Amino acid sequence: MDLNADLGESFGSWTMGDDASMFRIVSSANVACGFHAGDPLTMLDSCRAAFDLDVRVGAHVGYRDLAGFGRRSLDMSFDELFGDVLYQLGALDGVAHAVGASVDYVKPHGALYNRIVHDPEQAEAVVAAIHAYDPGLPVLGLPGSAWLGLAEESGHPVFREAFVDRAYLPDGTLVPRSQEGAVLHDPAEVVAQAVRLATRGEVVAQDGTVISVQADSLCIHGDTPGAVEMAAAVRKGLERAGVEIEAFA
């Protein structure tokens, strides 16, 4: 099972999370590409760390929304979103190649991630941009989402993820961050959800419904309080349950 986290989200003198520690725990890193977070130096540091620690680099593309951290949905034309995704891919891939690494997959961020679960027009723009850049580039996203379906139809290797520290709705989507209880903070609860997802392929929704989730990767967020300790506990819990941590890309 792959273990991924959103990293490289610092900007200038503002620091987000403890990337140095998180890179030693995860097998894949979703690196911000400068639109919702991150900057050239942060991307460079992230790609160097990933290369040194044999962690796979994913392009964490998002809306052009630094002030809102990419968590505000934007209405964009096909060409606007196509261009923005293409720009972010090229930027991170160029930095990665300069230090011996590479962009091994794409995972959208925040509001874009959630919107292209159901919005076919924006989903098509994201997939078209990825396909134009590299027709064989793997993608990572929510099972059953519109954009993963389109990516698969376009011939991209598709991988599905589940979230160990987020609450689920009965339809298999995530509880919106605007609602109470959307993010799980109890380490024991998070570890238990991770192990259940990895060993049984299921998660318990907020209303008690048991949902089948076949995931290739588990995501843990690096921007929550105690994220490093939580991630370390998740990895240890998975390994104790006999789950080998290995990158999907």
Side-chain angles (χ1 to χ4, degrees), residues 169 175-183 206:
L169 294 171
V175 173
R177 284 182 175 267
S178 58
Q179 295 183 21
E180 187 177 353
V183 180
Q206 207 172 42

Side-chain angles (χ1 to χ4, degrees), residues 34-189:
F35 272 26
H36 77 274
D39 56 35
L41 180 57
T42 303
M43 287 191 283
L44 185 60
D45 289 343
S46 298
C47 290
R48 281 175 174 157
F51 180 76
D52 289 343
L53 296 168
D54 197 26
V55 171
R56 298 295 178 266
V57 174
H60 204 31
V61 299
Y63 287 125
R64 192 192 296 254
D65 179 30
L66 278 174
F69 199 62
R71 289 181 175 159
R72 299 180 293 190
S73 184
L74 301 181
D75 292 328
M76 303 177 69
S77 70
F78 182 98
D79 282 348
E80 285 176 320
L81 186 53
F82 177 95
D84 276 7
V85 171
L86 197 59
Y87 186 99
Q88 292 174 82
L89 269 173
L92 184 63
D93 197 36
V95 171
H97 273 91
V99 298
S102 61
V103 168
D104 299 311
Y105 66 96
V106 180
K107 173 188 168 180
H109 165 80
L112 179 61
Y113 183 101
N114 292 324
R115 181 149 179 179
I116 60 178
V117 169
H118 301 297
D119 186 326
E121 184 176 352
Q122 288 208 358
E124 188 177 356
V126 171
V127 171
I130 297 169
H131 194 74
Y133 189 80
D134 181 349
L137 195 59
V139 298
L140 178 66
L142 197 71
S145 57
W147 91 280
L148 280 194
L150 289 170
E152 195 163 32
E153 289 174 9
S154 296
H156 290 269
V158 168
F159 296 90
R160 296 163 177 84
E161 73 172 336
F163 293 81
V164 303
D165 55 2
R166 290 292 303 275
Y168 277 77
L169 294 171
D171 65 355
T173 59
L174 302 176
V175 173
R177 284 182 175 267
S178 58
Q179 295 183 21
E180 187 177 353
V183 180
L184 309 181
H185 297 285
D186 178 6
E189 183 181 6

